[in-house]
Amino acid sequence: MADPGGCEENGMAGRAGNLGVAAVARAIAAGTLTSEAAVAACLARIAEREDTVGAWEHLDPEGALAQARALDRMPAQGPLHGVPLGVKDIIDTAEMPTGYGSPIYAGHRPAWDAACVAMARRAGAVVLGKTVSTEFAYFRPGRTANPLDPARTPGGSSSGSAAAVADGMVPAAFATQTAGSITRPAAFCGVVGYKPSFATIPRGGVRPFSDTLDTVGVIARSVEDAALVASAAAGRPDLAALPDLGRPPRIGLCRTAEWPAAEPATIAIFEETAARLGATGAREVVLPPDFAGLADAQLAIMAAEAARQFAHERRVCPDRLSPRLADVLKEGDAIPAARVAEARALAERCRRQLPEAMGDLDILLVPSTRGEAPVGLGATGDPVFCRAWTLLHVPTVHLPLGHGSAGMPVGLQAVGRFGDDARVLAAAAWLLERAPALR
């Protein structure tokens, strides 16, 4: 990633969104960049590209610049001092509306910031604006287009966060995942998507969809950047200090039970990566048979829990829910309690089995998406390769490793044991450093 060393402020500010979190933070600390200049550069990029990309639900340019100027007058507040961030619009912000991607909540003003936003502010971050989310972080798309090809979906539900980061509008953004809503848009837009172990980043003030699945994470341009933002938001300094493994990571190559859904681009990047890693001792891994049922189990749990989460909207304004969301909530009502209990029991068995299946491996390398971003903005793509890992509550990092035949990004995700986030991040950074440059 870009190195700010020796850059003059004007030149650096002009590419602040592309520099990344760590580079901007280092430059501000070194006095070669101001927060005001970094924010102004991001706003200039947004003004240039927003009509095409549509990544932002709400912007307050003067408010963001005022935050930046205030920080420029202060001593360093923390590791994100002066760095602009985007916030997905299902995450509460007191100074900006939070509409949850739904007309029901247009103009809604929460009383306070979500915990992750408050933690980021405490670390010195500037909240640049609210990024577009699908309806309640489910499947109905917003207006965001893929910045690499506006005829294609950016993925969802963290559509605006991924598109804004990929287009250099902001160095990083908060995102959330219930099925594949961090991994898939990161993959389609060619950036890094970090879904931490469940509940690593606090969920207070994040609109719930599924209480046992919703996970707050980060979309950024490097593993280092994602780790730095997550570390500040979680109050976990250890996440930012990526450990030196002292050796190449031990990697398992796992096609997973969902492999028949893989398209040529994913098959090709998996095989190419496997061939490159052969010299490091990477080996094929086949997961226990129970894992084949996890994707269906995730669907059942998600629908059943969502049916309860949206009890108020279904009672008061059911006609303002999209037909697709209304249908899944009805399906959730119809799922027998015994089926939900069975799905939860399967998840628990597989959580216990995963460490043994991994053995001495540091990570598994698995598909992220079926393939390249699909053409069209009416859907956000299939999260089939993400459902199991979200249900298992384990950390995942999507890595942009190359391109498919249509020229769009493709990659794989690094997956590890629950709570072993620092090791997964370190292994992911090692892999990305050795991958062909995406840009």
Side-chain angles (χ1 to χ4, degrees), residues 72-112:
D72 284 334
R73 294 191 294 268
M74 298 178 187
Q77 301 299 295
L80 302 181
H81 186 87
V83 177
L85 293 181
V87 176
K88 184 177 178 179
D89 195 39
I90 65 158
I91 301 174
D92 285 349
T93 47
E95 295 176 1
M96 299 179 182
T98 303
Y100 311 127
S102 168
I104 296 171
Y105 290 95
H108 170 61
R109 296 298 293 260
W112 49 72

Side-chain angles (χ1 to χ4, degrees), residues 252-417:
L253 301 160
C254 184
R255 288 172 171 80
T256 78
E258 291 72 43
W259 184 252
E263 296 172 358
T266 288
I267 295 170
I269 200 66
F270 189 94
E271 301 297 349
E272 290 166 11
T273 303
R276 289 200 303 272
L277 293 175
T280 71
R283 63 179 186 265
E284 295 275 350
V285 172
V286 177
L287 295 170
D290 275 348
F291 282 68
L294 286 173
D296 284 344
Q298 188 274 342
L299 273 165
I301 292 168
M302 181 177 69
E305 292 185 350
R308 280 75 178 163
Q309 291 287 0
F310 289 93
H312 173 74
E313 291 82 1
R314 298 174 75 193
R315 183 180 68 84
V316 174
C317 48
D319 56 323
R320 302 190 74 188
L321 299 171
S322 71
R324 187 166 186 185
L325 178 55
D327 285 346
V328 80
L329 299 178
K330 290 175 185 175
E331 291 166 9
D333 279 336
I335 296 172
R339 168 58 183 143
V340 177
E342 175 187 75
R344 288 176 174 152
L346 174 65
E348 190 54 43
R349 286 200 305 276
C350 291
R351 287 173 193 144
R352 292 195 300 268
Q353 292 174 22
L354 182 61
E356 183 178 351
M358 289 183 65
D360 66 348
L361 298 173
D362 296 305
I363 59 167
L364 298 178
L365 204 55
V366 305
S368 292
T369 60
R370 295 182 64 178
E372 296 169 273
V375 174
L377 303 182
T380 60
D382 188 344
V384 64
F385 281 108
C386 308
R387 293 186 184 278
W389 310 114
T390 306
L391 178 57
L392 292 178
H393 293 169
V394 296
T396 69
V397 182
H398 169 75
L399 302 173
L401 298 175
H403 295 83
S405 61
M408 295 299 289
V410 289
L412 302 171
Q413 54 181 326
V415 176
R417 300 167 182 82

Side-chain angles (χ1 to χ4, degrees), residues 117-154:
V117 175
M119 291 289 284
R121 288 190 195 274
R122 192 167 75 174
V126 175
V127 175
L128 191 65
K130 305 301 290 290
T131 56
V132 171
S133 170
T134 61
E135 178 193 27
F136 294 115
Y138 191 57
F139 279 122
R140 187 179 70 177
R143 66 180 181 280
T144 310
N146 193 307
L148 306 178
D149 179 354
R152 295 174 184 264
T153 179

